[in-house]
Amino acid sequence: MIKIFNGTTIVCVRNNSRVAMAGDGQVTLGNQSIKSNARKVRKLLDGKILTGFAGSTADAMTLLEKFENCLEQEKGDLMKGAVKLVREWRLDKALRRLEAMMLAADKNMTLLLSGAGDILEPEGDVAAIGSGSGYALAAGRALRESTDYTPEKIARRSIEIASEICIYTNNNITLEVLE
């Protein structure tokens, strides 16, 4: 079962050879916002892979480091790196307790990774995770189908819309693009 994490929203949008990933900057502790400008979207492997995470910040940073190592071992192959990470995440007693989800994308695919052992390639050109994911996903799909916006404009606007609805999402946006 995929868990929805409170405290973040990440969206990934692709169109032809362009891929954009955006995330809000809010970090919450219980019902309080304790940081507004966290950077939850990053480029890995010299800008060849985009990642975004939702969940506990410390857990996500641990997984991000492990994922980068897996990608390096698999020579940048996104699927093989994801399988390696999720297998370890699922089987290792310490890692199994980590509470986070991740979106990862290269020029060819977007993957959703979870500690439940999930490696999913979402349908369509828009994917989202986190507490505001439903709002960002709906906004992204609508904009993708009804406008000629670039992926980065759709990703940014999707987070902005989610931030107007979800109390765990703000509009302090980090945006990264693969071309």
Side-chain angles (χ1 to χ4, degrees):
M1 179 174 146
I2 295 178
K3 182 176 179 177
I4 300 294
F5 291 98
N6 291 336
T8 200
T9 302
I10 305 293
V11 65
C12 183
V13 181
R14 56 177 58 250
N15 181 6
N16 302 325
S17 63
R18 294 177 71 82
V19 181
M21 190 176 291
D24 77 310
Q26 184 163 296
V27 176
T28 56
L29 185 58
N31 62 358
Q32 294 181 358
S33 175
I34 59 171
K35 185 175 173 110
S36 66
N37 62 348
R39 191 170 161 258
K40 303 171 195 173
V41 174
R42 300 171 188 269
K43 284 185 174 181
L44 301 178
L45 296 183
D46 298 320
K48 294 177 184 145
I49 307 278
L50 295 177
T51 59
F53 56 84
S56 164
T57 304
D59 291 355
M61 296 309 291
T62 299
L63 290 169
L64 188 65
E65 184 178 314
K66 289 207 164 289
F67 187 46
E68 189 165 29
N69 289 338
C70 291
L71 287 168
E72 287 171 356
Q73 290 171 10
E74 297 298 336
K75 297 176 180 41
D77 186 303
L78 180 59
M79 183 59 83
K80 287 182 179 179
V83 169
K84 189 176 195 84
L85 173 70
V86 169
R87 183 180 301 126
E88 187 176 347
W89 189 357
R90 185 77 175 137
L91 297 175
D92 184 274
K93 286 184 181 183
L95 289 180
R96 194 178 317 145
R97 292 195 153 121
L98 298 182
E99 298 214 359
M101 291 181 72
M102 186 181 301
L103 277 180
D106 64 10
K107 286 190 173 211
N108 301 311
M109 72 176 70
T110 301
L111 298 175
L112 185 154
L113 313 174
S114 82
D118 300 304
I119 301 175
L120 304 172
E121 188 171 3
E123 291 182 359
D125 294 327
V126 182
I129 58 172
S131 57
S133 62
Y135 309 118
L137 182 63
R141 284 183 177 174
L143 291 168
R144 178 79 174 84
E145 291 175 8
S146 63
T147 69
D148 60 355
Y149 287 175
T150 62
E152 49 266 48
K153 189 167 184 176
I154 293 171
R156 179 177 296 283
R157 187 65 187 126
S158 296
I159 296 291
E160 289 170 348
I161 290 168
S163 76
E164 294 169 5
I165 303 167
C166 177
I167 61 170
Y168 295 106
T169 303
N170 71 11
N171 63 1
N172 190 338
I173 299 167
T174 302
L175 177 74
E176 296 287 354
V177 179
L178 294 178
E179 297 186 56

Short mmCIF file of all heavy atoms in Angstrom, two decimals, residues 109-137:
data_model
loop_
_atom_site.label_atom_id
_atom_site.label_comp_id
_atom_site.label_asym_id
_atom_site.label_seq_id
_atom_site.Cartn_x
_atom_site.Cartn_y
_atom_site.Cartn_z
N MET A 109 11.87 7.76 -18.90
CA MET A 109 10.81 7.25 -18.02
C MET A 109 10.78 7.99 -16.69
O MET A 109 11.76 8.60 -16.29
CB MET A 109 10.96 5.75 -17.79
CG MET A 109 12.13 5.38 -16.90
SD MET A 109 12.26 3.61 -16.53
CE MET A 109 12.75 2.97 -18.10
N THR A 110 9.63 7.88 -16.05
CA THR A 110 9.44 8.37 -14.69
C THR A 110 9.05 7.17 -13.83
O THR A 110 8.23 6.36 -14.25
CB THR A 110 8.30 9.41 -14.63
OG1 THR A 110 8.61 10.49 -15.50
CG2 THR A 110 8.10 9.93 -13.21
N LEU A 111 9.66 7.06 -12.65
CA LEU A 111 9.38 5.96 -11.74
C LEU A 111 8.98 6.49 -10.37
O LEU A 111 9.56 7.46 -9.89
CB LEU A 111 10.60 5.05 -11.58
CG LEU A 111 11.11 4.34 -12.83
CD1 LEU A 111 12.39 3.59 -12.51
CD2 LEU A 111 10.06 3.41 -13.40
N LEU A 112 8.02 5.81 -9.74
CA LEU A 112 7.65 6.07 -8.36
C LEU A 112 8.22 4.92 -7.54
O LEU A 112 7.96 3.75 -7.84
CB LEU A 112 6.13 6.13 -8.24
CG LEU A 112 5.57 6.50 -6.89
CD1 LEU A 112 4.19 7.12 -7.07
CD2 LEU A 112 5.50 5.34 -5.93
N LEU A 113 8.99 5.25 -6.50
CA LEU A 113 9.63 4.24 -5.66
C LEU A 113 9.13 4.37 -4.23
O LEU A 113 9.01 5.47 -3.71
CB LEU A 113 11.15 4.43 -5.66
CG LEU A 113 11.83 4.64 -7.00
CD1 LEU A 113 13.30 4.95 -6.82
CD2 LEU A 113 11.64 3.42 -7.87
N SER A 114 8.86 3.21 -3.59
CA SER A 114 8.43 3.25 -2.19
C SER A 114 9.05 2.10 -1.41
O SER A 114 9.49 1.11 -1.98
CB SER A 114 6.90 3.16 -2.10
OG SER A 114 6.47 1.82 -2.20
N GLY A 115 9.04 2.26 -0.09
CA GLY A 115 9.57 1.24 0.80
C GLY A 115 8.71 0.00 0.87
O GLY A 115 9.13 -1.02 1.42
N ALA A 116 7.51 0.06 0.31
CA ALA A 116 6.65 -1.12 0.26
C ALA A 116 7.08 -2.06 -0.86
O ALA A 116 6.49 -3.11 -1.06
CB ALA A 116 5.20 -0.69 0.06
N GLY A 117 8.13 -1.67 -1.59
CA GLY A 117 8.63 -2.51 -2.68
C GLY A 117 8.11 -2.09 -4.03
O GLY A 117 8.32 -2.78 -5.02
N ASP A 118 7.43 -0.96 -4.09
CA ASP A 118 6.85 -0.50 -5.35
C ASP A 118 7.88 0.17 -6.24
O ASP A 118 8.67 1.00 -5.79
CB ASP A 118 5.73 0.52 -5.09
CG ASP A 118 4.61 -0.04 -4.26
OD1 ASP A 118 4.06 -1.07 -4.66
OD2 ASP A 118 4.31 0.55 -3.20
N ILE A 119 7.85 -0.20 -7.50
CA ILE A 119 8.52 0.52 -8.58
C ILE A 119 7.46 0.64 -9.65
O ILE A 119 7.16 -0.32 -10.35
CB ILE A 119 9.75 -0.22 -9.14
CG1 ILE A 119 10.77 -0.47 -8.04
CG2 ILE A 119 10.36 0.58 -10.29
CD1 ILE A 119 11.95 -1.32 -8.50
N LEU A 120 6.85 1.80 -9.73
CA LEU A 120 5.75 2.00 -10.66
C LEU A 120 6.13 3.03 -11.71
O LEU A 120 6.74 4.04 -11.39
CB LEU A 120 4.51 2.51 -9.91
CG LEU A 120 4.02 1.64 -8.76
CD1 LEU A 120 2.92 2.36 -8.00
CD2 LEU A 120 3.52 0.31 -9.29
N GLU A 121 5.77 2.75 -12.95
CA GLU A 121 5.91 3.74 -14.01
C GLU A 121 4.51 4.31 -14.23
O GLU A 121 3.66 3.67 -14.84
CB GLU A 121 6.46 3.11 -15.29
CG GLU A 121 6.79 4.14 -16.33
CD GLU A 121 7.54 3.57 -17.52
OE1 GLU A 121 7.76 2.35 -17.58
OE2 GLU A 121 7.90 4.36 -18.40
N PRO A 122 4.25 5.51 -13.67
CA PRO A 122 2.90 6.07 -13.76
C PRO A 122 2.46 6.27 -15.21
O PRO A 122 3.27 6.51 -16.10
CB PRO A 122 3.03 7.43 -13.06
CG PRO A 122 4.24 7.29 -12.18
CD PRO A 122 5.16 6.36 -12.94
N GLU A 123 1.15 6.15 -15.43
CA GLU A 123 0.59 6.35 -16.76
C GLU A 123 0.60 7.83 -17.11
O GLU A 123 0.47 8.69 -16.25
CB GLU A 123 -0.85 5.84 -16.80
CG GLU A 123 -0.96 4.35 -16.71
CD GLU A 123 -2.40 3.87 -16.80
OE1 GLU A 123 -3.31 4.71 -16.91
OE2 GLU A 123 -2.60 2.66 -16.75
N GLY A 124 0.73 8.11 -18.38
CA GLY A 124 0.65 9.49 -18.85
C GLY A 124 1.96 10.24 -18.64
O GLY A 124 2.98 9.67 -18.29
N ASP A 125 1.88 11.52 -18.83
CA ASP A 125 3.07 12.37 -18.79
C ASP A 125 3.20 13.16 -17.51
O ASP A 125 4.06 14.03 -17.40
CB ASP A 125 3.04 13.33 -19.98
CG ASP A 125 3.18 12.61 -21.30
OD1 ASP A 125 3.87 11.58 -21.35
OD2 ASP A 125 2.60 13.08 -22.30
N VAL A 126 2.33 12.90 -16.51
CA VAL A 126 2.37 13.62 -15.24
C VAL A 126 2.31 12.60 -14.11
O VAL A 126 1.51 11.67 -14.14
CB VAL A 126 1.19 14.62 -15.11
CG1 VAL A 126 1.28 15.40 -13.81
CG2 VAL A 126 1.13 15.57 -16.30
N ALA A 127 3.17 12.78 -13.11
CA ALA A 127 3.17 11.94 -11.91
C ALA A 127 3.37 12.83 -10.70
O ALA A 127 4.01 13.89 -10.80
CB ALA A 127 4.30 10.91 -11.99
N ALA A 128 2.83 12.43 -9.55
CA ALA A 128 2.97 13.24 -8.35
C ALA A 128 2.98 12.34 -7.11
O ALA A 128 2.39 11.26 -7.11
CB ALA A 128 1.83 14.25 -8.25
N ILE A 129 3.66 12.82 -6.05
CA ILE A 129 3.68 12.15 -4.75
C ILE A 129 3.53 13.21 -3.67
O ILE A 129 3.76 14.40 -3.91
CB ILE A 129 4.97 11.33 -4.50
CG1 ILE A 129 6.22 12.21 -4.61
CG2 ILE A 129 5.04 10.13 -5.43
CD1 ILE A 129 7.51 11.51 -4.18
N GLY A 130 3.19 12.76 -2.47
CA GLY A 130 3.11 13.64 -1.32
C GLY A 130 1.70 14.03 -0.97
O GLY A 130 0.72 13.60 -1.60
N SER A 131 1.58 14.88 0.03
CA SER A 131 0.27 15.24 0.56
C SER A 131 -0.60 15.99 -0.43
O SER A 131 -1.81 15.84 -0.44
CB SER A 131 0.42 16.05 1.84
OG SER A 131 1.20 17.20 1.60
N GLY A 132 0.00 16.79 -1.28
CA GLY A 132 -0.76 17.53 -2.28
C GLY A 132 -0.74 16.87 -3.64
O GLY A 132 -1.08 17.49 -4.65
N SER A 133 -0.38 15.59 -3.69
CA SER A 133 -0.19 14.92 -4.99
C SER A 133 -1.46 14.86 -5.82
O SER A 133 -1.40 15.03 -7.04
CB SER A 133 0.38 13.52 -4.79
OG SER A 133 -0.49 12.70 -4.06
N GLY A 134 -2.58 14.62 -5.21
CA GLY A 134 -3.83 14.54 -5.97
C GLY A 134 -4.15 15.86 -6.66
O GLY A 134 -4.57 15.89 -7.82
N TYR A 135 -3.94 16.96 -5.94
CA TYR A 135 -4.21 18.28 -6.50
C TYR A 135 -3.22 18.61 -7.63
O TYR A 135 -3.61 19.09 -8.69
CB TYR A 135 -4.12 19.36 -5.42
CG TYR A 135 -4.94 19.04 -4.19
CD1 TYR A 135 -4.32 18.87 -2.95
CD2 TYR A 135 -6.32 18.88 -4.27
CE1 TYR A 135 -5.07 18.57 -1.83
CE2 TYR A 135 -7.07 18.58 -3.14
CZ TYR A 135 -6.44 18.43 -1.92
OH TYR A 135 -7.17 18.13 -0.81
N ALA A 136 -1.94 18.33 -7.37
CA ALA A 136 -0.91 18.63 -8.38
C ALA A 136 -1.09 17.75 -9.61
O ALA A 136 -0.91 18.21 -10.74
CB ALA A 136 0.48 18.44 -7.78
N LEU A 137 -1.43 16.49 -9.40
CA LEU A 137 -1.64 15.57 -10.51
C LEU A 137 -2.82 16.02 -11.37
O LEU A 137 -2.72 16.07 -12.61
CB LEU A 137 -1.87 14.15 -10.00
CG LEU A 137 -2.07 13.06 -11.05
CD1 LEU A 137 -0.83 12.91 -11.92
CD2 LEU A 137 -2.41 11.74 -10.37
#
